[in-house]
Amino acid sequence: MEKLVTYFKGVKSEWGKITWPERKQVIAQTIIVLVIVIAFTIYTYGLDILFKGILKAFRLVD
């Protein structure tokens, strides 16, 4: 039990050393991540359409 108490005291001590990002920074980085995810999704979808068209042109796919 003593080890558990010591552990949580250490956790509490380390928790105080954390520097949390500001709200503006979190929002900006979240928007950047969403834009990148959307861009890659559109890119992948475009490649899918392109390759599907190529395969249809060679009659490899219905």
Side-chain angles (χ1 to χ4, degrees), residues 16-60:
K17 296 177 185 177
I18 297 173
T19 55
W20 298 100
E22 293 183 15
R23 183 178 174 89
K24 277 184 174 181
Q25 185 181 5
V26 172
I27 291 171
Q29 290 177 349
T30 301
I31 290 170
I32 290 170
V33 168
L34 289 174
V35 167
I36 291 171
V37 168
I38 290 168
F40 275 112
T41 301
I42 292 169
Y43 175 73
T44 304
Y45 182 67
L47 286 177
D48 182 50
I49 291 172
L50 175 70
F51 287 128
K52 218 178 264 187
I54 292 170
L55 293 174
K56 279 186 181 182
F58 289 106
R59 298 181 189 263
L60 298 174

Side-chain angles (χ1 to χ4, degrees), residues 2-16:
E2 187 177 318
K3 287 184 180 183
L4 189 61
V5 170
T6 304
Y7 171 76
F8 281 112
K9 283 183 180 179
V11 169
K12 185 178 178 183
S13 170
E14 291 298 320
W15 193 263

